[in-house]
Each structure stands twice: as C-alpha cells, then as structure tokens.
Amino acid sequence: EDQVTQSPEALRLQEGESSSLNCSYTVSGLRGLFWYRQDPGKGPEFLFTLYSAGEEKEKERLKATLTKKESFLHITAPKPEDSATYLCAVQPRFSGGYNKLIFGAGTRLAVHP
Amino acid sequence: EAQVTQNPRYLITVTGKKLTVTCSQNMNHEYMSWYRQDPGLGLRQIYYSMNVEVTDKGDVPEGYKVSRKEKRNFPLILESPSPNQTSLYFCASRRTTGEYVLTFGAGSRLTVL
C-alpha cells in the first residue's frame, strides 16, 4: 500500500537554529515527490517537486533532498515567518497515480524569536 | 489574481440536510480535485475531474457527489451529510501539461451535527 509518513509531528526551533524535516515513503514506483507549505486558515502552497534519488532543490532557507526511501526538507537559519505546517506528498507511478497525490500528515513547525 | 475560490468557508449543518460546497478557478485549468483533511491523516482525495463532464473517484468518495458542467466550476455535493463528514475540505486545480503543481483553495470547514 502506498504510504507517506512525516516526522516529527511538531518541531519547535529558535530563530537561526537549523534543522530537518523527514518524509518517508513507500510507493509502487515514484513519479514525483512534492513539498507544500500550509499556513493556518489557508490551503497548501507548492514548494518543490523532486523526481529522482539524488535530486536537490532550494528556495531561500529551504532545501529539499530525495533518496529512494525518503526526502528531507532542510531549514537553514529559520525565521519566525517560516512557521507553518509542511506537507510531503508522493505521486505513484502506477495504480492510477497520475491523477492523485498521497499526502503525509505534515510537520508543524514553530520558529520562535 | 490566479486563484481557487471555495464557498462557504465555514458551515455548521445537521445530519441529512443536503449541502453543496462550491469551487471555482480562474486559471483555465483542466484538472480539478477535492480533498478532505483530518487530523493525523493528511489530505485524502475524494473526487477528481480531468475536464468538463469527466469525473472519477478518489480514495474516499463514499457519501459525496461531484459534477463538472463548466471548466471553471467543480462543486462538491453532500446529499445526506453525516457526522463522519465533519472535516476541512480543499478544492485544487492544475494544468494537465507541464509540471504537476496543484493550486489549492483556502478551505471549507464543515461541521455536521
């Protein structure tokens, strides 16, 4: 069964304290892995897509990496405005996967000044 | 501004009273989808549509109906709501060509008493 597990469920950081969020997945062939950011009261907002093991993408203080079993979202020197829930999702290559994403439950990140 | 608009944003109703959650996008996207978000479970796909008059079930379609009579609109219909349909609902859309990027609405929080 296709599955996505994110850890930790919640993370509290001090401003400037770098850390990483984990997304472990089992899927019947991976078409793509996605990271979204969700602010309270809003819908998820797209951040990155990764397609193959070894791929990395960066945006400001965020860097996403991908292996054959997991993805990491590295946050370097975070600021309070990085506080949000970060969602990971996979798009299966098979099982009708083109038309759906399988989401993890998310990691709630709080960055304090 | 490119966006997905959902209404209502908040709704409290009673068991068995039919309701419709509307979704409209202004980006001329072919693909539209409905997800529900529950604590600890992540986003789960209810229904999706590849284009006008083309709809298909997602992972949790029971108790829901959809229609796609116009390209911009994709309403979610709960014919006889039950308390287990209390959830946060998101509509999303994307192009069917190019990068797989979902644009989400702001969400509709539904409570069924």
Side-chain angles (χ1 to χ4, degrees):
Chain A
E1 181 184 351
D2 301 328
Q3 193 170 345
V4 176
T5 303
Q6 293 187 244
S7 61
E9 288 186 17
L11 181 62
R12 177 188 171 118
L13 298 174
Q14 290 298 122
E15 185 171 2
E17 179 187 2
S18 301
S19 188
S20 298
L21 313 183
N22 177 262
C23 171
S24 298
Y25 63 91
T26 54
V27 66
S28 53
L30 181 69
R31 189 184 296 269
L33 184 140
F34 304 80
W35 284 97
Y36 282 80
R37 169 188 171 130
Q38 185 175 16
D39 292 297
K42 296 187 177 181
E45 181 180 341
F46 172 77
L47 291 173
F48 304 109
T49 309
L50 301 166
Y51 294 102
S52 57
E55 189 175 359
E56 299 182 351
K57 287 194 176 172
E58 290 188 60
K59 181 179 181 178
E60 296 181 1
R61 295 174 293 282
L62 301 177
K63 183 167 96 171
T65 62
L66 180 64
T67 73
K68 289 187 177 180
K69 294 184 177 181
E70 58 191 351
S71 176
F72 291 94
L73 185 65
H74 306 278
I75 303 176
T76 302
K79 298 182 178 182
E81 54 261 42
D82 295 321
S83 298
T85 296
Y86 291 86
L87 304 176
C88 173
V90 298
Q91 184 186 16
R93 185 175 294 280
F94 308 110
S95 305
Y98 183 74
N99 291 314
K100 72 174 181 182
L101 298 184
I102 299 169
F103 282 84
T107 294
R108 291 190 316 278
L109 174 66
V111 182
H112 296 269
Chain B
E1 180 188 356
Q3 60 185 1
V4 176
T5 303
Q6 299 178 223
N7 282 296
R9 293 289 314 280
Y10 303 92
L11 180 63
I12 300 174
T13 190
V14 295
T15 299
K17 185 175 181 181
K18 180 180 179 180
L19 68 92
T20 298
V21 186
T22 64
C23 174
S24 180
Q25 50 93 6
N26 63 0
M27 296 165 283
N28 202 35
H29 287 169
E30 296 86 5
Y31 175 97
M32 298 185 75
S33 182
W34 277 102
Y35 285 85
R36 61 178 288 174
Q37 186 175 41
D38 301 292
L41 292 180
L43 287 155
R44 293 178 292 167
Q45 190 183 55
I46 303 171
Y47 269 95
Y48 67 92
S49 169
M50 292 298 293
N51 215 322
V52 176
E53 302 291 359
V54 180
T55 63
D56 209 345
K57 297 177 180 179
D59 293 322
V60 288
E62 294 77 19
Y64 304 95
K65 285 177 58 176
V66 293
S67 68
R68 187 93 182 271
K69 293 181 169 43
E70 302 169 284
K71 194 172 185 179
R72 65 183 292 124
N73 296 323
F74 190 45
L76 179 69
I77 303 158
L78 286 73
E79 293 270 2
S80 183
S82 63
N84 65 10
Q85 292 179 297
T86 293
S87 187
L88 180 57
Y89 292 87
F90 288 98
C91 181
S93 71
R94 65 172 175 86
R95 295 169 52 202
T96 53
T97 56
E99 193 173 15
Y100 194 114
V101 176
L102 284 171
T103 300
F104 283 86
S108 297
R109 183 168 294 281
L110 171 65
T111 301
V112 183
L113 302 176

